[in-house]
Structure formats: structure tokens, C-alpha cells
Amino acid sequence: MPTIKPLSRAVAAACMTMAVNAFAQQAIASPEGQMAEVVVTATRGEKAVDKIPGAISVISQQDLAAQYLIADDPSQALSTYIPGYAPSRQKMSSTGESLRGRQPLILLDGIPQSNPLRAGMREGYFADSFIVERIEVINGASAVQGMGATGGIINYITKAPRANGTTHGINLRASTQFRSDNIDWKTGYSISHKSDAFDFLGYAAVQRRGMSYDGSGRRLGIDTVQGDTLDTHGDDLFVKIGKTFGAQRLQLSLNRFNLEGDGDYMNDPGSVAEGVPTSSLPGTPIGDAPRNKVRSASLDYRHADLAGGIFSAQLFGHQFESLYGATRVVTFQDTRIAPNGTLWDQSQILADKLGSRITYVRPDTLIAGLEATVGVDFLRDETEQRLAITDRTWVPLLKFNSTAPFAQLEYEFGPVTVRGGVRHEIAELEVDTYTTLAAYGSRTVQGGSAEFSKSVKNIGAVWRFAPQWSAFAASSEGFGLPDAGLVLRGVATPGQSVSNLISLQPIVTRNNEIGLNWRGEKGQFGISRYDSRSKLGSVIRIIASGVGVVERVPTTVKGWEVSGEWRPTRAVSAFGSYAQTDGKTAATQGAPMDISLGARSQGPDKAVLGANWKWLPASSLRLQATHLVDRDINIGRMVGTSRLEEHFNGYTLVDAAASFDSRHGKIGVSIENLLDKQYVGYYSQSAAATDPGNTYAGRGRTLAVNFSRMF
């Protein structure tokens, strides 16, 4: 194992101190009325959150239902409940939606949905919100689920039958701003069956989204290139079948998701000088409308009593296709095909993953209280980016293969849990010889391979030092690649080869964190401080031509996060969170770390406050507010032709929702942006402030009604 760095040694010393002091606390008993234990699975085994050293968040089905009633937007739910998650774009594109200033690894039941080889930022829409039971979030760099989690892990857990019998369900949702072209609706049907050892869940849904309007009554701008949720239609088909054989279980799950634009509106640029945001006009854009097509499959096997431990294996496949809208961007021009400035084209990312995860967890290994977790992961990821109209290669086929054995030890004695482990990534990226687009000089890049072999470590401890109180200290590393496709497609220097491009070296991010948690009968509270560093990070900068380029420079993100919930009575509860994020980078390797990370990488400081009132036994009312803090960074700073200055005028949004049971079914009513606030989104204000075609306002006051019935 590589030498442990000073910060890791400090964390280890803190863990040992906790262990020594803990002997005086071993007799502490769980108090009566303490909150029910919350168990997560994103750590490769079922584990209570108060035994995991780190900032772990679990968004329950109840909270998701309330948020999805307000807005059927997965990233908006994450932004509401996860302090360090950046504001939602309200678009199909998720550019700028980061976690603690870095990119998270997104999973669906453990199946990776992210595409780190060519991050087209379309990973936010891959499944219907109805099938999600809860969301588990590991904040901070982690390698426990593999490559790509430099900002953390977001694992969407799908529903499963819980009680014997057969249940049918219907779900209807509609939202409107009372204009003829902005009615959204979705309808879904579910069937659930369980008969002791056998269970089945099926779900099918279709939806249509119209246009939306801002607080001033102006039609929102549609992003016809990067992708939008406005003027779209979609469907989802999900099936999960399971069979239990004593201590063994076999499960098959399939998900087929589509989201596609209707192509009925065109982007209408605003006026930056006059402060008029982008809007839309009826019309048919050139080319096919943007779309997402996602196909996921997983075969899971579990043996709950194999040689005194729990064995699990997962074989998964994932196919992803994202089509972007047509544009005459300078990058696509080729005078051999059409006169300069007249060639329209649209890009398409195709990603195909096949992998497996094998895990064995054995408690009381060798000595009482010592739990060992061992396993190995395999991944084959083939990703490419093409120009769909002219059938040209933009990013050549990237063939990535990874084998990663890992081992984790956990020792629990009294109120102390100590965890530490290592994961060794053995990876190879292979690319055939290819020719860049004419805009880059039609350069021939010699094919080759880049190999990586890196051990990533974690160590930490939790000390339950008093009834309902715990403290943790942890140091963990995450492993990832820069956007290899973005690097390779932009090669403009003659004589280059894949194997000698230093920009393909991996990103190793270390997250050091300490925190304090309280979980009691009346609520919970948590506060943490983290420091995340990458010596060879990855920053995308927009040059004068409007093209994004990858710069390999060190990055550091520091921050505070506070979250809590208080339930003074059974009928009333309040929740809130605050996140302060400060990301820094350098102009070049070796330069001072004096450049603030922009909106592509980092969200603003954010506060969320809300309250729930159960005014009748089967009825509830929710009121919540989100405040984004002003941000002015990099005043007058330039790196090459990249302008780094950004300004953001913060805003506060208020939402309300109510639900109640009737004899016909459950009815929900919500108002998003209750005060009809006129605002331009964080990313549009900051990163796209000078682009009249990309300054998108947010949704104005919107009414939504939901009806569901089980029978």
C-alpha cells in the first residue's frame, strides 16, 4: 500500500484517540424512544448510518413524494435535500449540477448511469421518479462503487414488494400555469405481487411536457442544442422479478427509459444588455430533436449465510444514447462538405457498459467485532461521440477495461467503529487511430493505450460518545478520469498519439472530513467540515471560440455543511440545511491556487428551510424555501482567451404542497414558486451571462395536481 500522507495519519491518530476514550463509554445503552435505525446499502453492504464514518444522506420515499409533487425533477430533489448539491438547471442537460464542487457517480440499484469517458451531462434523466423508493448519498470522494465518484455517490434504490398479495396502482400528475401550451401530464400504472418467496414489480408510464413561463409571464427559453425538458414526451417501462430460496435470493431488473423533444419550438435569444432572458418561439428546429435513451439490466444474486458471511454478486448492462440538437457551430464546419458557416450537424454520444460486482462480507473474522469485506469489480465501457447528420467521428471509440479488487476491515468495540480499506484499480483505455474534425486541422492521432494502476484508500472512525450523539473523522480517496472524449476530440497538434497525452492521467481526489451528529426521538442534526484535494484535477474552460477545453490543474474544495430536522409534536416537523462551498484552482500547474471554481464546477452557498404540518391523520401540508447566496468571483481574471469572471445575484424560492387521502385515492396539490419570483438560474447568470441564447429564466408560479390509488 502506498505511504499514508500526513492528513491521513492525522485522521488515523484521531481514530485511535476515539478508540482509547471509548472504553469509558462501552456501557452506554440505547435510550428508549431513539429514532429507528437508518440502513444504507451504497457502502457495498447493509450498514447503519451512525456506524459509517462520513456524511451520509438518505432521502426517504416520503420526502421524495413531497418534492416530486412540487416538481418532477430528480436534480431539484437532490438540490433540496443534499446541502452540497448545486441548483437544478431545469433542463435535460445537467451541466453545472455538481456535488461539493465535483462530479458524483450516479447509480440505479448499483448500475452506473454516469458516463465519465465522455461526460455529455445528460445523466439526470434515466428513470421515472415513481419507481424510486429512496436515494442514498455518500458525500465526498469515494471508491467503494468504482470510478467516477470524486464528488460522492448518488444511488437511486428502486421499489420492491413488501407484503404478500397482489396490488395494482394508478398514478396521474398534471401541472399548469394556465396557458394553452404549458400543460404537463404523466400517467403510470403499477402492479406488485408477493407470495412468500416470489415477488414481482412492474411499472409503465407515459408523459408529456409543454412549455413553461417565468415570473414575468414570458415563455421560457428552450435549449434546442444541449437538451431541454420543455416540449418533450417520454415513457418508462420497469420490471423487477425476485425469487428467494432459503438464505439465497435471485433478482432480475430491467429498465427502459426514453425522453425526447417534440421539436415544436425554437430558441429566441434575449438581450444581455437590457437584462432580457432567452425565450422561445413556435417553429421547427433543423434536425432531430434532442433525446435520451437509456436501457439498464441487472441480475443480482445474494447468499445471506455463506461460510458465516453474506455473499452478493451483480451482473449489469447499461446502454445510453443521447442525441443533441443541430447547430452550425464552428467546430462542425468542413468546406469539403459545405461552404463555411452553412453546415448543420448534431452530435450523439453512445455508451455501452457491461460489468460485475462481487462482494463478500463476514462479521467476526478471526476475532469478535472484526468485520471483513472483500470483493472485485469488473467494468467494460465503450463510449464514442459521432456527428449524426454527416456520420463523422468526433470522439473515437474509447474502450475502457477495469479490474478492481478491494478489501475493507471494520472493527467495532463498544461505542466505537473503526473502518479502513484499500481498492486497487487496474485500468486500460484503448483507442484506435483516428482523424480529428476539420476544425482541429484534420489531424491524424496515432492510436494506442493508456494504462493506470492506482490504489485508493479510506480510513475513518465513528465514536458514539453519548446517548444519541456521535462524531466521526474520515479520509477517503476517489478515482476518476478526465473527460477523455473532450480531450481526444480537441487534439490540434500534429504527431500526437493516445499513449503520450498526459491529460489522460487519472484524477485521484482525497476527501478529509470531520463531523458531529445527533439522532434522537425528536429529530436529528449533523454538521461536517471537509477538505477535498486533487493534485492533478480537471477543469473545463471556455475559450474565445466558445469551445470547452480540459485543463489539468490542481483543485481544492473546502466547505461546511449543516442539516437537521426537528419534530416537536407528531403533527409538526421542521427541516433545514446550509452549505458553504469554496473551490479553488490554478491557472497552470505550479501557479498559485487563487482562481475560484466557476458555475460549471461549483454551486453557490445555499440554505433550505421547510416545515410539515399533519393537520389531519391522513393529510399533510408542506412549506419550504430555498435561498441561493450572491457570488462574485474572479473579477477581471483571464486564462488565455478564457474569461473567468462570474457574477450571480442570489434569490429565494418558496414552494408549497398539500396531500390528503380520500375514499377514492390520495390527492396531492402543490404550487412551485409560490411567490411567482422572476429569476434567472444560477448557471445562466454565472457561466452563460454573456450568451443571449443561454440566459434561461426559471419557472414562475406553477400549479400541480397528483392523484394515486392502490387497489
Side-chain angles (χ1 to χ4, degrees), residues 193-210:
H193 173 78
K194 182 175 174 61
S195 56
D196 297 324
F198 176 79
D199 55 83
F200 170 84
L201 175 66
Y203 177 72
V206 294
Q207 66 174 4
R208 296 291 186 272
R209 287 185 169 101

Side-chain angles (χ1 to χ4, degrees), residues 84 86-87 96-98 100-102 530 539 555-559 578-585 593-606 627-636 643-651 680-689:
E97 294 179 4
S98 60
R100 290 186 169 183
R102 302 188 187 276
Y530 65 89
V539 175
T555 59
T556 298
V557 184
K558 300 178 181 180
Y578 177 74
Q580 184 184 77
T581 311
D582 182 20
K584 297 290 186 181
T585 187
M593 299 280 289
D594 60 354
I595 295 177
S596 296
L597 291 179
R600 280 183 167 268
S601 302
Q602 177 191 318
D605 295 347
K606 179 182 65 176
H627 175 67
L628 304 181
V629 181
D630 295 1
R631 189 167 190 250
D632 300 285
I633 61 170
N634 302 326
I635 308 303
R643 178 181 177 273
L644 305 183
E645 183 173 333
E646 290 184 0
H647 298 277
F648 170 63
N649 294 321
Y651 49 80
V680 173
Y682 165 67
Y683 184 86
S684 290
Q685 278 196 50
S686 303

Side-chain angles (χ1 to χ4, degrees), residues 61 68 72 108 126-133 158-161 167-173 185-193 200-209 234-241 252-258 706-710:
Q61 186 175 358
Y68 284 144
D72 193 12
L108 177 67
F126 54 86
D128 190 277
S129 58
F130 178 87
I131 68 173
V132 179
E133 181 177 82
T158 59
K159 296 177 180 178
T167 303
H168 301 266
I170 57 171
N171 184 75
L172 306 173
R173 185 183 190 277
W185 61 266
K186 181 172 73 173
T187 180
Y189 165 77
S190 65
I191 178 171
S192 174
H193 173 78
F200 170 84
L201 175 66
Y203 177 72
V206 294
Q207 66 174 4
R208 296 291 186 272
R209 287 185 169 101
D235 59 80
D236 193 14
L237 179 63
F238 176 77
V239 175
K240 179 187 285 187
I241 305 172
L252 173 68
S253 62
L254 304 169
N255 186 53
R256 177 186 179 277
F257 177 82
N258 298 305
N706 191 89
F707 173 79
S708 60
R709 180 176 182 179
M710 308 301 291

Side-chain angles (χ1 to χ4, degrees), residues 363-371 411:
D364 298 328
T365 302
L366 301 178
I367 61 174
L370 180 62
E371 179 182 274
Y411 187 44

Side-chain angles (χ1 to χ4, degrees), residues 288-329:
D288 294 333
R291 63 173 179 261
N292 266 14
K293 288 186 177 181
V294 184
R295 308 290 185 263
S296 296
S298 175
L299 181 63
D300 297 81
Y301 171 76
R302 175 185 171 91
H303 196 308
D305 188 14
L306 182 63
I310 300 174
F311 174 83
S312 61
Q314 180 186 45
L315 177 65
F316 64 84
H318 179 258
Q319 294 180 337
F320 175 83
E321 176 194 332
S322 62
L323 180 69
Y324 297 80
T327 177
R328 288 185 298 180
V329 66

